[in-house]
Amino acid sequence: MANELAPSETALGIDLDLSAAALDFRVNDVPILDPQVPLSTDAQIATQLTLNEAFTKGQNTISFAVQFKPNSEWTPGLHLRLHSWPAGTIPELFQGSDFVFDVIVAVSQNDPGKLEMTQMVGSGEPLVTIAEIHQTAGDGTTDGWNTWSVTAEVMIDFPQDAWQSAQVLEVTPELRRELSGEYMKLHSALAEGGRTAQMALAPYIHRLAGGVGASDAEYYTSGYEALLSGDAGFTLRPFDADESKVQLYGHGRLAALLPLPIRYWNPEAEQEASLFIYFWKDQTGQWQIIH
C-alpha cells in the first residue's frame, strides 16, 4: 500500500475555476504563482495545481484574495478546492467528496454590490485538517480586493522551511542595497552556468526536491538544467534592478526585488522566464536563498 504521508506518493494542491476575476493565492504568505502580478482573466481559467513545494509539515496558513471584473462578458466568480491525490495521477476537477475544503465566491443574489462566500468541508481527508475560513481583508464589495484565510495542519512529510526562522525585515534603503547585492551574486553564478549555477541554487533546489520526494539531482535535471544551460533556448538577460522595489513576503521574513532581476529571454519564441527567488536573513545576519 502506498504511503500517503510520503511526498513522493501524495500530491497536495488545488482545483481552480476563475472567471472574470483576479486571484492572489498564498501559502504561508508566499505567492504560489508570479509574485509580480496576480492570476487574472477576463474570461475563464479552469485548472489544477500541485503545490507540494508550497507546504511544510505541520501548521500552514492559506490565504486567497479575489477581485472581480464586473465589466467582463463573463459572470465573475471563484471556485477553489484544496485536496490531495495519489502522485502521478490527474483527478477530474471538483470531483468526489474527499477534499479538505471547497469554497465558492460569487456575487450576492440579494445585493449585487456585495460578495458571498460559501464553503464546504470534505469527508475522509485525514492528511490535512483546517480551522474555520474567515475573511481577513476587504469590505465585501465586488469592486475591491477581498481576502480569506485559514490555518491548515498538514500531516504529509514535507520538509520544514528554514526561512520561517528568519529575521523579520523592514524595508529600508540599506535593505534594498543588500538585497540587490544578493541578487547580483546569484546572477553572476547563473551566468557562469554549469556546476556554479547548480551550486548557487542548491538550497532552493533541495527544498523543492523534498516537496515531491525526489533527489536534488533529479529535480534539477528535470526542472532547471535545460533553462540554465540554454538548451531550452533561453539566455540570461543582463542584471538590471534599477527599477525594482523591495517587497516582503512570508510575514516579513522573505524579501524580493520586483520586477525580478533574474530573467531569461528566448528570442525565437519571444518569451521571458523569471526565477521567483526570495532571500531571507538568518539570526546571525547572513543572507540566504529561500529554502
Side-chain angles (χ1 to χ4, degrees):
M1 181 177 295
N3 178 10
E4 291 182 319
L5 297 181
S8 60
E9 300 289 341
T10 302
L12 179 62
I14 57 173
D15 292 349
L16 173 66
D17 190 338
L18 184 71
S19 298
L23 171 69
D24 183 354
F25 186 94
R26 302 187 183 193
V27 179
N28 299 320
D29 194 36
V30 182
I32 63 165
L33 297 171
D34 188 341
Q36 299 170 101
V37 291
L39 181 66
S40 181
T41 179
D42 291 317
Q44 181 182 32
I45 297 173
T47 189
Q48 186 173 85
L49 300 174
T50 302
L51 303 177
N52 285 27
E53 72 281 358
F55 288 93
T56 187
K57 184 178 181 180
Q59 191 175 94
N60 297 257
T61 58
I62 300 170
S63 66
F64 53 97
V66 185
Q67 184 180 45
F68 282 177
K69 298 183 176 183
N71 295 326
S72 170
E73 296 179 1
W74 292 71
T75 301
L78 168 68
H79 189 184
L80 178 70
R81 173 177 288 193
L82 176 70
H83 64 117
S84 62
W85 61 91
T89 66
I90 304 177
E92 292 187 50
L93 293 176
F94 302 105
Q95 296 300 305
S97 60
D98 192 13
F99 55 85
V100 182
F101 67 77
D102 184 295
V103 297
I104 295 175
V105 181
V107 177
S108 172
Q109 294 183 352
N110 298 323
D111 185 347
K114 293 284 188 178
L115 299 178
E116 59 181 16
M117 193 272 283
T118 58
Q119 60 178 293
M120 297 186 296
V121 177
S123 59
E125 181 65 52
L127 302 181
V128 182
T129 59
I130 63 165
E132 182 179 356
I133 301 174
H134 58 283
Q135 188 164 357
T136 54
D139 60 5
T141 59
T142 57
D143 58 356
W145 282 96
N146 290 272
T147 305
W148 290 264
S149 299
V150 62
T151 299
E153 189 73 22
V154 176
M155 286 70 137
I156 305 169
D157 290 329
F158 295 134
Q160 299 298 303
D161 288 324
W163 65 262
Q164 293 198 24
S165 64
Q167 295 184 27
V168 176
L169 303 170
E170 181 180 351
V171 177
T172 64
E174 179 60 25
L175 178 72
R176 191 197 182 283
R177 284 193 292 271
E178 292 183 13
L179 188 58
S180 180
E182 294 303 311
Y183 275 107
M184 189 177 296
K185 286 190 291 186
L186 177 60
H187 185 277
S188 296
L190 296 176
E192 288 194 31
R195 183 67 173 168
T196 302
Q198 186 175 357
M199 290 302 296
L201 293 174
Y204 172 70
I205 295 296
H206 180 71
R207 173 63 181 84
L208 295 179
V212 295
S215 72
D216 294 8
E218 289 170 339
Y219 197 93
Y220 180 81
T221 299
S222 64
Y224 286 84
E225 187 174 40
L227 173 66
L228 301 185
S229 67
D231 289 347
F234 287 84
T235 57
L236 184 64
R237 284 187 179 276
F239 184 83
D240 182 6
D242 289 347
E243 302 299 323
S244 299
K245 296 182 179 179
V246 177
Q247 295 290 333
L248 299 182
Y249 300 98
H251 306 293
R253 290 179 167 84
L254 292 173
L257 285 178
L258 299 183
L260 289 158
I262 308 292
R263 301 189 300 273
Y264 289 80
W265 176 249
N266 185 323
E268 183 175 342
E270 295 188 345
Q271 291 182 335
E272 187 174 73
S274 299
L275 285 187
F276 302 141
I277 299 294
Y278 307 87
F279 287 91
W280 56 281
K281 184 178 283 192
D282 64 25
Q283 295 302 323
T284 71
Q286 299 297 309
W287 283 103
Q288 307 267 359
I289 196 170
I290 183 174
H291 68 282

